[in-house]
């Protein structure tokens, strides 16, 4: 087609079309139709848009308040906002609960030692390999050795620590049970909590041959890889994490 498109808006120098000057923002077509009153359906639509805008503002304000509250906490202030590789998780953004992406495993739940979930898949490969060997040996004794806790994001560890501070009443007492995002061997992928109890008990008796050792006297479930244990046996345990020099960095 070589016929030029017909334009309905004429622009003279120094003037603007009516729809630009009209502060109500109504279109030229509406002007021509005589400025009717809004029809009920249009009113409903405007009400819905208004509600949507208000809801968006409300959610944004709530998120800002939660983030500010967490950022101002005296204990481990910047770990939740900055932490972890659990990108997109609610807990990494400073609100909500940790998810499987953070390595979260609910209380009472457990995963197979070959599970593809981050809690297992992000463990140190040598630790995971040792676990799988131990799992096969335990199975011959009728024991199902499973992972009740494995790799965790920094955000998840910070969430656990805040929960422990509430439970134990002080950061010092909470640190006897829960490491910080900076020190926890779980965040480094170098520790695993074995489930259920009979499996942890089995590993306590047979783990050294796989290089798997309990670290703390007060945590019957917590194991780490100690390759020298295959020949030399497991090193002595710490009474609890507060005696572990690695927890003080
Ligand atoms: Zn542990």
């Amino acid at each position: 087609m070589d016929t030029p498109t017909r334009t309905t808006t004429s622009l003279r120098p120094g003037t603007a079309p009516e729809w630009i000057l009209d502060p109500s923002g109504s279109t030229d077509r509406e002007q021509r139709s005589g400025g009717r009153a809004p029809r009920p359906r249009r009113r409903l639509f405007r009400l819905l848009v208004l509600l949507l805008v208000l809801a968006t503002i409300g959610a944004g304000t709530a998120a800002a308040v939660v983030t500010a509250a967490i950022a101002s906490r005296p204990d481990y202030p910047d770990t939740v906002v900055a932490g972890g590789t659990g990108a997109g998780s609610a807990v990494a953004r400073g609100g909500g609960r940790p998810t499987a992406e953070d390595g979260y495993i609910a209380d009472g739940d457990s995963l197979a030692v070959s599970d593809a979930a981050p809690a297992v898949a992000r463990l140190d490969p040598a630790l995971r390999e040792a676990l799988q060997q131990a799992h096969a040996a335990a199975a011959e004794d009728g024991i199902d050795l499973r992972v009740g806790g494995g790799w965790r994001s920094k955000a998840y560890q910070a969430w656990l620590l805040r929960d422990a501070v509430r439970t134990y009443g002080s950061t010092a007492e909470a640190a006897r049970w829960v490491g910080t995002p900076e020190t926890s061997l779980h965040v480094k992928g170098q520790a695993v909590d074995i489930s259920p109890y009979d499996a942890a008990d089995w590993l306590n008796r047979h783990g050294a041959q796989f290089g798997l050792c309990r670290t703390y006297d007060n945590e019957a479930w917590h194991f780490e890889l100690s390759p020298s244990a295959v020949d030399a046996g497991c090193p002595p345990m710490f009474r609890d994490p507060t005696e572990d020099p690695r927890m003080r960095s």
Side-chain angles (χ1 to χ4, degrees):
M1 289 270 265
D2 48 7
T3 314
T5 310
R6 196 158 49 91
T7 53
T8 53
T9 308
S10 62
L11 275 175
R12 292 197 312 274
T15 62
E18 198 178 359
W19 57 269
I20 291 180
L21 297 173
D22 180 2
S24 75
S26 60
T27 64
D28 190 46
R29 199 155 54 85
E30 278 175 316
Q31 291 288 319
R32 277 205 305 272
S33 70
R36 328 163 268 200
R39 285 170 296 187
R41 201 189 292 170
R42 198 178 299 171
R43 269 197 223 116
L44 181 63
F45 176 73
R46 284 177 184 169
L47 182 63
L48 286 173
V49 169
L50 180 65
L51 286 173
L52 186 65
V53 167
L54 288 175
T56 305
I57 291 169
T61 305
V65 166
V66 169
T67 304
I70 287 166
S72 68
R73 289 185 70 91
D75 43 317
Y76 311 105
D78 49 356
T79 49
V80 171
V81 175
T85 58
S89 79
V91 71
R93 292 195 302 271
R97 299 175 61 85
T99 68
E101 286 303 302
D102 293 295
Y104 179 72
I105 303 173
D107 274 352
D109 278 0
S110 60
L111 300 174
V113 294
S114 55
D115 203 288
V120 176
R122 287 178 181 261
L123 287 173
D124 173 62
L127 171 58
R128 207 171 56 236
E129 172 67 23
L131 277 175
Q132 288 167 1
Q133 288 177 8
H135 174 268
E140 291 177 18
D141 289 347
I143 300 289
D144 186 18
L145 191 151
R146 297 176 65 82
V147 174
W151 170 85
R152 299 172 191 144
S153 72
K154 282 188 170 185
Y156 178 16
Q157 190 68 34
W159 183 85
L160 283 174
L161 186 61
R162 287 198 307 278
D163 194 51
V165 169
R166 277 194 292 272
T167 302
Y168 296 107
S170 72
T171 303
E173 188 58 26
R176 298 176 80 90
W177 297 90
V178 179
T180 73
E182 286 69 36
T183 60
S184 170
L185 275 295
H186 284 279
V187 172
K188 296 176 170 72
Q190 293 170 353
V192 66
D193 298 333
I194 298 300
S195 180
Y197 178 78
D198 65 342
D201 181 54
W202 183 94
L203 198 61
N204 186 38
R205 288 180 281 117
H206 302 283
Q209 61 185 290
F210 308 101
L212 293 168
C213 296
R214 266 179 69 185
T215 313
Y216 306 117
D217 200 36
N218 72 337
E219 295 188 15
W221 53 86
H222 179 102
F223 287 80
E224 296 174 25
L225 190 65
S226 179
S228 64
V230 176
D231 295 320
C234 286
M237 282 182 252
F238 299 109
R239 194 175 57 183
D240 61 46
T242 61
E243 293 196 344
D244 184 347
R246 298 172 303 172
M247 296 295 117
R248 292 181 205 130
S249 54

